[in-house]
Amino acid sequence: MAVHTWLPDAHVEAPTGGSVILAAIMLKMAGTGCCGSVCRSHRMQPSIRRLMVALSLIAIVYIAYVAIVQQDMKKLVAYSSIAHMGFVTLGAFLVFFIVAATGSTRAPSTARRCMCRWSRMA
């Protein structure tokens, strides 16, 4: 679940240019951190990975509903940024479920290497 309750207030108080930079930098940093945790998630129990997928889905839906009712455009951007990170975590943790469903033995290490390299480049 997204716990970035400070983000909408920071967007509202910042000037428009700062708000855009805040959204871009925060999304990049959060995506890099997510991919870094996925590099270690191959050692996680499948039940924990399922929990992460479920929490990502809940965050996407809940934060999207919160974003819909916003009157302030900056708050709408902030909440949509938080919801977007739900999609990033969902995709990152679903990689391992797809690999497990296909039964590939080489794919988990390949996916892990690609995500680790991406997070180092960012």
Side-chain angles (χ1 to χ4, degrees), residues 95-105 107-108:
V95 166
F96 292 100
F97 286 112
I98 293 169
V99 167
T102 59
S104 174
T105 57

Side-chain angles (χ1 to χ4, degrees), residues 53-110:
V53 168
L55 289 176
S56 296
L57 289 170
I58 291 169
I60 290 167
V61 173
Y62 176 72
I63 300 299
Y65 279 126
V66 171
I68 287 173
V69 299
Q70 295 304 312
Q71 300 295 323
D72 187 8
M73 192 59 143
K74 287 185 178 181
K75 278 193 177 185
L76 178 84
V77 169
Y79 282 114
S80 65
S81 298
I82 296 169
H84 178 260
M85 286 314 302
F87 283 105
V88 172
T89 57
L90 179 65
F93 283 97
L94 279 179
V95 166
F96 292 100
F97 286 112
I98 293 169
V99 167
T102 59
S104 174
T105 57
R106 190 174 151 210
S109 61
T110 304

